Amino acid sequence: MEQEVVISFEDFGFQYKAQAEPTLYHIDLQIRKGEKVLIAGPSGCGKSTLAHCINGLIPNSYPGQATGNLTIGGKNALKLGLFDLSKIVGTVLQDADGQFIGLTVAEDIAFALENDCIPTEEMHRQVERIAELVDVKQVLGHAPHEISGGQKQRVGLGGVMVDQVDILLFDEPLANLDPATGKQAIVLIDEIQKRTGCAVIIIEHRVEDVLYRPVDRVVVMGDGRIQYDGDPDTLLCTDLLQEGGIREPLYVTALKYAGVELTADMRPSCLPELKLSEEHTAQVRAWFAKQPPAAAVSQREILLRAERIDFTYAGGHHALRGIDAVIHKGEMLSIVGTNGAGKSTFSKVICGFEQPQTGRLELNGTDMAELSIKERADHIGYVMQNPNQMISKVQIFDEVALGLRNRGVPEEEIRPRVEETLKICGLYPFRNWPISALSYGQKKRVTIASILVLRPEMILLDEPTAGQDLRHYTEIMDFLSELNRQGVTVVLITHDMHLMLEYTPRAIVFNAGAVIADRPAAEVLNSPEIVEAAHLKETSLFHLSKACGIDDAVEFTRRFVERDREVRRHD
């Protein structure tokens, strides 16, 4: 029996009050109870606006002009208040910290129940039930800041499920999670959907990661319109994702490069069930044999050396355990590992924000122990994940000039240096703009420019591409690659395994405060032991190469990355 329709857009359009053009045009979309739907699309395509219409932020928080019809739970959604819609639609935000209200996990889950004046005994029973469902029973007494990223997301999910909603809306649930925790999140969403029968909507541009568990439909958006609405197998046989600036699963791209003609009955959306004939595997092997071997990495001088670095926070958390590592001049390097592995602590120690209890750091062969934070910043620039946390000026020029002015550089020297840096960063045309007028990706460039103008030998970036679609990701990484070609050492702390594969020949892998591997990136992601120990995620190219009888999965991955980079460079 066909399930009831819980969301219905009929020739729906929306234009924000502050904008000259509509953001959504002629949306026709129906979602039924029990369906799991992925909504994908590049930044600015309208998918977030669509989500805001579903959860009531439009028109209640973001006013504008709507056309057509939108019904949720059989009611006119545009006439429902936020409170009424919250009883039907539960939203789990990308930033789990932004959703916390209670001082403990239990208080946070109970918040909606308290608002509904549920008796205390019944409230305790419901909190226990939900905590068991989302597997956070063991941390009910913990404060939100004491739990892991994956647990925070589970708590956020529990907090919206206490209302027994019919629709669960996930806004980029993978953006801030390490690869293994991201897989767990997708499994959790799948389990919750099966156990509750809710309609589940996932807004995410990481299509391959979401397809770790099956979805009923994929809706692809572009320029405020629906470009595709159908099953994922049929979608992956087309080039719609790539044309729309969304990365398709790597194994699908590899099959297309090899000339394999994909059909929906091959089940391309599900790697474990992918049906490849002998002809298909022969095509992949022939393609692999034709690709030139990956270039060898040349040896470089050592810029920074860490020896036996040990660090314990005041609360007793032993964050770094005897770290030995080197960073070479002019290289591009990834530091990877699960949340809480010690990556960010290591970067703080390098920058001087924290002082290790034991061990030695050398920069160009000189002991860094006596260098102040300011002196270290003359050589090492640190760019935070969120650009809004680094920006303190109104105008772009003033923000980039700030570090030079703080150092007492004469004003006549500041202007040419800032202008030169803005040109390198592609920001010169906007030099007199207010920062508030920039996109997120442009703000990211401003923060990089504010460090680059100081002419450091090394830039250390925390999650430079988090939350970026393929186009903006490529812009940022190509820009960083160009800086690297100019001689700047670039170190990336990242959860993005494809970034690590494509741009950084070497990766240092952290786990539980220790370095467990220092190897070429392709070797790391083709080593099941390292992947499991560090909570990473094997590349799907590893599984494809094995399925096609190619023993050297590392070289297969390297050759694919070289080919993919070449193709995208010419697009």
Side-chain angles (χ1 to χ4, degrees):
M1 191 177 78
E2 204 168 50
Q3 291 273 34
E4 66 174 298
V5 173
V6 290
I7 300 173
S8 179
F9 289 89
E10 295 175 2
D11 195 27
F12 184 85
F14 183 77
Q15 180 174 336
Y16 289 100
K17 192 175 181 180
Q19 294 191 351
E21 298 290 332
T23 300
L24 297 178
Y25 301 86
H26 306 296
I27 301 295
D28 286 296
L29 176 66
Q30 290 192 332
I31 296 173
R32 298 180 181 277
K33 192 166 185 180
E35 271 194 303
K36 194 205 292 186
V37 179
L38 165 62
I39 300 178
S43 297
C45 72
K47 61 185 188 294
S48 293
T49 299
L50 197 74
H52 293 155
C53 292
I54 293 170
N55 64 20
L57 288 177
I58 289 174
N60 293 293
S61 296
Y62 305 126
Q65 181 64 43
T67 56
N69 298 309
L70 169 58
T71 57
I72 295 179
K75 299 173 182 175
N76 184 340
L78 300 178
K79 291 186 177 177
L80 291 175
L82 276 173
F83 179 78
D84 294 321
L85 266 172
S86 71
K87 299 296 181 184
I88 307 170
V89 183
T91 304
V92 181
L93 300 175
Q94 172 183 337
D95 177 12
D97 290 318
Q99 197 152 345
F100 286 123
I101 294 166
L103 296 176
T104 66
V105 167
E107 282 183 24
D108 203 78
I109 293 174
F111 180 74
L113 300 173
E114 289 182 300
N115 280 350
D116 291 342
C117 300
I118 301 296
T120 303
E121 285 186 21
E122 173 62 17
M123 193 188 303
H124 286 166
R125 276 196 298 273
Q126 289 209 42
V127 169
E128 289 269 327
R129 177 181 64 82
I130 292 294
E132 195 163 338
L133 190 63
V134 298
D135 192 24
V136 293
K137 211 169 176 182
Q138 70 279 15
V139 294
L140 280 174
H142 288 54
H145 70 268
E146 294 174 336
I147 61 178
S148 71
Q151 287 172 325
K152 286 177 181 178
Q153 196 163 59
R154 288 169 181 264
V155 173
L157 177 55
V160 299
M161 285 181 63
V162 291
D163 273 329
Q164 298 181 323
V165 293
D166 293 325
I167 301 159
L168 283 170
L169 175 63
F170 293 87
D171 183 8
E172 298 210 20
L174 305 178
N176 298 313
L177 300 179
D178 64 62
T181 305
K183 280 173 68 173
Q184 292 166 10
I186 293 301
V187 170
L188 173 67
I189 292 169
D190 192 54
E191 289 173 352
I192 295 298
Q193 191 259 341
K194 286 173 181 171
R195 288 164 74 173
T196 63
C198 286
V200 167
I201 302 164
I202 303 171
I203 296 174
E204 183 62 71
H205 58 263
R206 288 163 59 174
V207 172
E208 180 175 333
D209 293 333
V210 175
L211 292 180
Y212 180 64
R213 284 290 183 268
V215 300
D216 297 299
R217 285 154 60 206
V218 181
V219 175
V220 179
M221 295 194 66
D223 298 322
R225 294 174 170 85
I226 291 178
Q227 311 283 10
Y228 177 89
D229 178 3
D231 70 273
D233 288 314
T234 303
L235 172 65
L236 293 179
C237 297
T238 72
D239 293 324
L240 279 171
L241 290 179
Q242 296 282 59
E243 289 168 1
I246 311 160
R247 191 187 299 285
E248 63 188 4
L250 295 187
Y251 62 92
V252 169
T253 306
L255 288 168
K256 290 178 179 177
Y257 286 164
V260 174
E261 192 169 332
L262 294 174
T263 59
D265 58 6
M266 290 169 64
R267 293 297 317 280
S269 72
C270 183
L271 182 56
E273 297 178 22
L274 179 63
K275 297 169 186 169
L276 294 175
S277 67
E278 287 186 16
E279 182 186 350
H280 295 146
T281 58
Q283 283 177 281
V284 175
R285 288 194 298 273
W287 174 84
F288 172 62
K290 285 180 188 172
Q291 300 307 304
V297 179
S298 59
Q299 287 297 314
R300 302 171 183 268
E301 288 180 63
I302 292 174
L303 172 65
L304 186 139
R305 183 191 298 275
E307 294 179 340
R308 302 179 305 281
I309 298 293
D310 225 78
F311 178 77
T312 301
Y313 284 101
H317 173 51
H318 196 171
L320 298 177
R321 302 168 184 267
I323 301 295
D324 288 316
V326 295
I327 296 170
H328 299 103
K329 288 183 180 179
E331 80 169 327
M332 203 158 177
L333 167 79
S334 285
I335 298 179
V336 299
T338 186
N339 292 0
K343 309 183 299 296
S344 294
T345 302
F346 183 56
S347 66
K348 290 175 185 175
V349 167
I350 289 174
C351 295
F353 305 150
E354 302 286 359
Q355 294 297 322
Q357 280 83 27
T358 60
R360 176 183 171 91
L361 276 175
E362 289 182 357
L363 183 70
N364 291 317
T366 303
D367 191 348
M368 294 173 68
E370 301 305 316
L371 296 181
S372 66
I373 291 175
K374 184 264 175 192
E375 289 168 329
R376 293 184 193 214
D378 291 337
H379 302 275
I380 301 167
Y382 181 63
V383 181
M384 298 170 74
Q385 177 176 337
N386 185 346
N388 296 317
Q389 293 177 339
M390 287 186 68
I391 290 166
S392 58
K393 294 293 181 180
V394 174
Q395 301 294 121
I396 291 173
F397 186 95
D398 292 337
E399 180 64 35
V400 177
L402 180 62
L404 295 174
R405 286 172 176 157
N406 286 345
R407 284 163 170 73
V409 176
E411 201 66 30
E412 61 271 17
E413 188 181 329
I414 288 175
R415 179 160 292 278
R417 274 179 68 171
V418 170
E419 289 182 349
E420 177 196 2
T421 304
L422 289 171
K423 286 173 184 173
I424 292 170
C425 298
L427 292 167
Y428 185 75
F430 315 113
R431 61 195 178 281
N432 296 319
W433 282 30
I435 293 172
S436 59
L438 299 183
S439 69
Y440 185 90
Q442 288 170 323
K443 286 180 182 177
K444 198 99 174 174
R445 288 189 178 215
V446 171
T447 60
I448 295 171
S450 68
I451 297 298
L452 191 64
V453 76
L454 303 176
R455 297 174 181 164
E457 295 175 78
M458 181 173 101
I459 295 183
L460 184 60
L461 300 104
D462 193 354
E463 293 290 354
T465 59
Q468 301 290 303
D469 62 25
L470 182 60
R471 182 169 67 85
H472 291 100
Y473 159 100
T474 303
E475 281 178 5
I476 289 171
M477 290 312 303
D478 285 352
F479 163 60
L480 291 174
S481 296
E482 181 55 37
L483 291 185
N484 181 241
R485 280 191 286 273
Q486 293 175 22
V488 179
T489 301
V490 178
V491 180
L492 310 172
I493 298 172
T494 183
H495 287 144
D496 188 330
M497 297 298 95
H498 193 273
L499 179 155
M500 178 179 92
L501 271 179
E502 185 176 6
Y503 290 95
T504 63
R506 183 166 73 101
I508 298 176
V509 185
F510 275 66
N511 185 46
V515 171
I516 63 167
D518 181 349
R519 298 189 191 177
E523 281 186 27
V524 168
L525 290 192
N526 284 287
S527 167
E529 300 80 18
I530 295 173
V531 164
E532 184 178 356
H535 300 269
L536 303 177
K537 182 178 167 233
E538 282 170 348
T539 171
S540 55
L541 300 170
F542 172 82
H543 300 284
L544 177 62
S545 62
K546 296 301 180 191
C548 294
I550 298 168
D551 292 329
D552 194 344
V554 173
E555 186 60 24
F556 180 79
T557 301
R558 284 175 174 152
R559 294 185 191 184
F560 168 81
V561 167
E562 289 294 329
R563 172 65 176 152
D564 192 49
R565 187 185 289 134
E566 185 183 320
V567 168
R568 284 174 48 208
R569 194 178 290 134
H570 290 98
D571 279 351

